[in-house]
């Protein structure tokens, strides 16, 4: 065997046990009591997890004349250092541009640069016949998941367009992943606040009310119900949205929900920070209340939400966020997070008794693999799966500081928080790419992942999803 | 290695993958791509599951002057042939008898006779100070789970007794497992039917209404809530009981629910069979309606119920069930089932698309281990776990016939049903005890299982339980 | 006293009792045991109800180059003959037209022609600053209720517009009355059916799914919640919409719901009638299923819905409905009903045990008065209230036939149905305008009703609304 | 006419209007604009309500060797002074005593002594055949409502007994009114507290947990459901019980709920008062939390609860309550309240915006009449109804003091509270019995009320009940 991970405590979505893991080439080939070989990685007193999957990241995203600050190189290195060995980014459509070209261009940008494996969701901006006609081909090209926006001036779809897209996805085995906020109401609120001279960051959350996130979530779910399409709701931030998801799942509708560390750990109080500091927390939807944080933790523990991703989309505070100094609505939205997810969820989730080890691994590693067509290759520790492994040290204490993290951005929303439990080594397809917290891999070693058509209905998915 | 299970498809509560399994002594020591050794069991094209756990069986149960027809020998052989490598039976208390003596006597009957490993729940008939004082000791003796009856003339407890017992269990780390029906209402109904000359088996289900099973389930849950004790509801048969469990879990109360194949597959129509045939289906609670069957399947798929056990408690139709020829209330209650559970759940659950492979394994193997303090030793396929394995042939067709089954009883409620998918070989602690469907092990090889104190709350349990 | 209604059984939303009613001028001045006077109307063995209020009628509504077939004369005579002494019609806005002008024009059309008193809702087609600025004035002019459409090509409002309007109404004491269907989805479905050559009336209901009526209802409720505005949902047709209303009221949100006889009594099967007959039932939303009928009856009985109105909007089958012979989407939508409501609700509601006498009067007479600012003048039998009274003969049998009804249209959806219980005499402001079922009043005697600002919150409304 | 109530604002469960009321003999014969006659009672600027009905009082109740301190004379005078013109007391059964005798004896005690009209509920202590056989006769004797206790050592019924009684009542048109607490759990808790020396009043509420009131309420509802019997739940004190009632009514089960001022206005903090003061608040169920108060107000406003009664059962603090100085479980349970209900509900309900005038009258006057078979004679202001009227002065300010109230007891739980709005004059069957707050009637003028068989199902009841 090429490499042996020895002495660790293996943690999967179902079990915790002591075993050595043997790797040949890029795959796990053995999980046994005692393994020996020429190359051994010691995991004594550490957890060995499946490499984490971040199903929602935006690297070098173009937003007007700005670009999110992490590119495929820096962003994927940060991911790796944080224990994430698979990212799913977005091929954002352009109008009057074929989806295949969009996909090819995005792959052109990522291939040869990412350091971990990656997949792509494709966003849709219209429901023209030509667009819908490309969907089957995209699915065959390994992109069965499509991002739909219900908000943002340049990307919101009307309900008829969503309906038409979902009808097509239902037929073709695609999965919509939906940003649920109400564009028109937000536009009115922003307009009103600007007219009243309310331009500070604190007006950002007030312009995107939780009730209307709940509304849009319910609308997406009803559109899915009426077309027979499964649905995945991204970045759930509030109780109102959660209630709609719970209700739909209660009647057996295949709806999945994702939240992010920022919605579990931050609140609207961040926007009240002195000066322009609140801008660091501007993202959509915004951070909500402590009660929402609690409701989201509980929903994760009960399996009402299945996935924790990051929506990583960093912009420099200096120079980029400052675009909105005179007008909160011009602050580029998004925060960094791809590197800190696994540690934050362990510290605030597992250590505080809100999640079991299994729930932690399910939300960060296994469930995204099941839902996004990466299973059994990713998301589990099993013979035949890719040897994507995290050697996680539950005792390692790290104080989060922007300057020490690998994310290419001048702040972290968690600055100064001390967490206990952190990734130590990371393997990607059998290769040690992070050692003692530092990236040692090669740029461009990451591969594009051909993902499978989405299997519909309950029964194709593991129990822990329902 | 002593034995290698080669070429199978491993199915656990979380994953499905191809691997060989290596066994040394009684434990799994390796899960690898290709293993070789002197002794190999071929599992090509078969599923390899964790040995199933039946957490609810009554072998040689004394009921007045009758005894249930399977003893620890025949019953545990039948279990083994059906893929069940762990059973949990009951040490039924007697009045004026210490619980330790009860336990010692029951172990005296089982030790040296069972062919698979076994645990014991202890039933409680009162809440006297002396009884409650014995509970900590019983938990230390490996029996942390206590059966409480809310029905049956000689065993029902009043709510004050249940409250006192639950208060003690909450303190001591015990888990009550509760039979939820309303004794007094049933007694009134039986009395009324008898007075009206309604003595045929068809009056049995009418004497035990679903609404009052729901009532008792809600009552047990409220008693648990008011004492802070986790609770396990046995043999849930109807929507009304399910609703109470769902509601409790929805507010975060640690309540677990079990159903049985008979409640998933049989209905009240069985009681209308000609002659005395209905007596074969007399059990408590009775089979309900198709709508209840459906609701139970859905609840299993959603994880609202966690366990499928059998409540195996067979009586011969001839001679035993016939005791009630003149009076349905004298028919000894209970049906056989320990042998057919895994195959029925695969055929009607997995094959019909109601359950995934993972849900099947979770309900029959993994969840009972988590809930009843047998994890990580039983219920999973992992290095270090007991080598209890089922080689399950998904293509094997078997027509269920009482005369071909190993259960010691003259009928099966599933007579003539053809199922596809059946256990082929079974290993218990590394020993091949069933080969090609026939028992080849030694009587008495089964061991008493010291079970662990119950870990309370969500977070100690795997995600798939919530 | 000018007139005495003698010997009847008075039925109000709260009570049933025997009394004579004395009228002076236009008002009730006495309710006593035995009254005498020069002019007596015998009501022995009859019910005496408050004149019914139909809060939702469209008389001489312009739809492109068609006009609904009942004008203010014929329509209000039909209303009177059916026991309805107050109607609320609509001043439908035109673009680039002030609302005051719209109101003035509509009053110009109705004044001097209606035979019963009437009010006007004002519809809004945009949320321009100028439009919103007119709202306070309209409220002062007696029109505090505003119709918003979420469907129809030429009248749907986007969510931002609705949000802006509701914000204004919340401040000003106006009440939005909302048509809840999803315009964009309907447009897509119609387009698809037409493209597939599916042009018969049977495709009409398929183009307007119940799930999306539920969606739009939920959206209107969420918009109301986020602006703090009370809301009235018109013509609820299905369980999905009902669920949203129930949920909102359950959390204390002031939401009111209306249904119509057609949603209580007709189903989607009507659209399958041979030939073009289905066109007679084309309305929006369409008739749904028996299960929806039942759910609506139950919701009325429980007070989850508060009002039964008619959405009376008749078109001749010959010549008008036939516009859509080649394309169901061109069939003018709407059915007649202003004349038959009270009798249908008595026959199918009270006589069949689904509603009490009190519930019948509440839904048809009293609740609309409370909600729409007509109380205490209309909707009750009390000293000082207008002497609008219906002498209802519970034994009178009438077979509904278009040719015998006073509605100006060539069909009734209830053709041939025999009902028992029918209005006999009707008084409006003390004047006998219907005698033995025939109109004897004068054209133009109806007056415009200045309605009051809407009182928000629970406590200003009678108990029976919540 | 014999008497005219002139110039008042009439308030009923449905309407508010200005009118004079004319009375002949014992009945209302006219409600008119201007009435004149020889005898006039001025009601200018006052509300005129239907005489209130207190459906739950215990006068001279025997509890061991104690008797509740208000007898039929003093208690009914207090009722009258508080605006209550009808009380329903209890004929408490004795074992080995026919129900008819019990009824006759109780009537023997009340007749010739009460000053307002009264009815009697009959309590049942067993479900023996002889007892059940008497039920039809009692209904014919005007007592169609039967009290069942699920708590109290000497009166609790087991579930089989309740089931048998409800089966009989369902057939006969009787209504069970049920005290829902769990006897056995309470007994255990009291025993435990006593054993631990926890004997102060503060342990009283801890011995009767809200969760177990919810449990018993659910059990009563399930027993009613399984027998097809309507049910009335007395003195609902907590959210848990409310949830069960809401759920049952949601599925259409005819369940009614009552609360009392003490559960709307007092909390468990009263039991923490210094010394033995807490004993003044000892009643069952106990006062709960502020959150429960709020939930009960909301439930009243929504019609989820229908009735406010008092459970008036006073004991002197000195001499009587003091029985429990050494042991809270010996404190006689019950508090005074028959006199203060209407004023408290007006002040804290109507004036604080929690109830409308109509809801106040419905809960205190009209609904009890509908539910308990007193309609149309009592509970409404209508021609032909008894002239039971309260002239209520909304501006009158009264500071509640035990020494000024007419209740025969040495304290009031509301001592020192200033309320605004109080009964001024009270008429009972046309007779002025309270003038300017003082009783001027004759002892023994009250009559026994023959109440009607209970009409089952929704539709016989007024809308405002559902």
């Amino acid at each position: 065997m090429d490499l042996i991970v020895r002495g660790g405590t293996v943690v999967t979505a179902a079990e915790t046990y002591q075993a050595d893991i043997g790797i040949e080439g890029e795959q796990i080939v053995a999980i046994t009591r005692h393994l020996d070989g020429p190359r051994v990685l010691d995991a004594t007193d550490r957890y060995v997890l499946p490499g984490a999957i971040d199903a929602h990241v935006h690297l070098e995203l173009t937003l007007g004349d700005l670009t999110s600050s992490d590119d495929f190189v820096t962003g994927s290195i940060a991911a790796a250092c944080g224990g994430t060995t698979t990212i799913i980014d977005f091929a954002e459509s352009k109008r009057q541009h074929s989806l295949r070209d969009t996909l090819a261009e995005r792959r052109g940008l990522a291939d040869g640069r990412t350091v971990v494996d990656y997949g792509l969701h494709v966003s849709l901006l219209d429901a023209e016949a030509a667009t819908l006609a490309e969907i089957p081909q995209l699915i065959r090209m390994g992109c069965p998941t499509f991002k739909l926006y219900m908000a943002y001036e340049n990307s919101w779809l009307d309900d008829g367009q969503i309906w038409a897209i979902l009808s097509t996805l239902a037929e073709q085995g695609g999965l919509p992943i939906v940003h649920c906020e109400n564009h028109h109401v937000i536009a009115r609120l922003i307009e009103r606040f600007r007219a009243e001279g309310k331009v500070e960051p604190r007006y950002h959350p007030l312009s995107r009310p939780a009730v209307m996130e709940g509304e849009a979530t319910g609308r997406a779910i009803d559109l899915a119900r009426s077309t027979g399409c499964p649905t995945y709701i991204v970045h759930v931030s509030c109780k109102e949205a959660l209630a709609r998801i719970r209700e739909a799942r209660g009647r057996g509708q295949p709806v999945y929900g994702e939240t992010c560390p920022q919605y579990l750990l931050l609140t609207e109080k961040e926007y009240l920070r002195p000066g322009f500091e609140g801008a660091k927390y501007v993202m959509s939807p915004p951070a909500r209340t402590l009660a929402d944080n609690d409701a989201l933790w509980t929903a994760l523990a009960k399996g009402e939400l299945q996935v924790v991703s990051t929506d990583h989309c960093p912009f420099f505070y200096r120079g980029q966020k400052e675009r909105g100094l005179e007008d909160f609505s011009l602050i580029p939205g998004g925060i960094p997070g791809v590197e800190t997810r696994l540690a934050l969820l362990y510290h605030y989730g597992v250590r505080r008794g809100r999640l079991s080890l299994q729930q932690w691994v399910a939300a960060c590693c296994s469930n995204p693999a099941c839902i996004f067509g990466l299973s059994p290759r990713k998301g589990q520790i099993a013979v035949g799966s890719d040897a994507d492994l995290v050697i996680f040290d539950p005792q390692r204490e790290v104080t989060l500081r922007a300057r020490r993290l690998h994310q290419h951005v001048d702040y972290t929303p968690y600055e100064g928080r001390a967490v206990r439990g952190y990734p130590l080594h990371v393997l990607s397809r059998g290769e040690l790419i992070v050692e003692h917290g530092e990236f040692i891999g090669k740029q461009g070693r990451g591969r594009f992942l051909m993902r499978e058509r989405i299997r519909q209905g309950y029964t194709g998915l593991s129990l822990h999803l329902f």
Side-chain angles (χ1 to χ4, degrees), chain A residues 336-364:
Chain A
V338 75
E339 189 169 356
T340 44
R341 176 178 57 133
L342 209 55
L344 288 169
L345 266 281
Y346 181 77
H347 182 81
Y348 292 102
V350 178
R351 203 169 273 288
R352 300 231 167 145
R354 282 157 162 164
L355 298 179
S356 68
L357 286 169
Q358 274 60 51
Q359 290 166 328
W360 173 52
V361 168
C364 295

Side-chain angles (χ1 to χ4, degrees), chain A residues 74-209:
Chain A
T74 60
S76 64
I77 288 173
C81 292
T84 292
T85 53
T86 301
I87 55 177
I88 314 185
D89 197 281
F90 293 80
E92 298 284 357
S93 296
K94 289 168 217 145
R95 300 191 191 275
Q96 267 77 50
H97 209 81
S98 92
L99 298 178
R100 274 157 301 171
D101 290 353
T102 299
L103 180 56
E105 286 167 26
R106 192 70 175 163
R107 286 200 52 183
L109 208 55
D111 285 335
R113 296 177 67 224
T114 66
V115 306
V116 295
D117 293 348
Y118 78 102
L120 290 172
H121 307 293
V122 180
S123 72
L124 299 178
L125 293 180
D126 63 58
E128 301 301 312
T131 304
L132 301 180
E134 281 193 279
I135 284 175
Q137 210 164 342
L138 283 159
I139 295 176
R140 281 194 302 275
M141 292 164 77
C143 295
T145 50
F146 296 85
K147 179 75 173 286
L148 312 184
Y149 292 93
M150 298 173 85
Y152 296 130
E153 185 57 37
N154 297 310
S155 35
W156 71 275
L157 295 163
D158 76 36
D159 297 344
Q161 293 171 314
I162 297 173
W163 181 88
I165 293 167
L166 267 54
S167 297
T168 304
L169 296 182
E171 275 168 31
Q172 299 295 335
L175 178 73
I177 65 173
V178 194
H179 177 129
C180 297
E181 289 190 296
N182 188 305
H183 167 69
H184 289 98
V185 170
I186 291 166
R188 289 267 170 181
L189 277 158
I190 290 175
E191 186 192 317
R192 173 170 296 191
F193 284 127
R194 289 165 67 165
E196 294 171 347
K198 295 172 172 170
V199 295
E200 297 81 10
R202 70 182 55 197
Y203 294 101
H204 170 70
L206 301 179
S207 72
R208 312 186 85 97

Side-chain angles (χ1 to χ4, degrees), chain A residues 39 43 82 100 107 111 116 130 144 146 151 166 176 190 221 229 243 291 297 310 350 381 395 416 425 431 451:
Chain A
R39 226 180 119 221
R100 274 157 301 171
R107 286 200 52 183
D111 285 335
V116 295
F146 296 85
L166 267 54
I190 290 175
I221 287 172
C229 194
W297 280 114
T310 68
V350 178
I381 294 181
Q395 304 306 337
H425 312 308
E431 183 184 340
R451 291 181 294 122

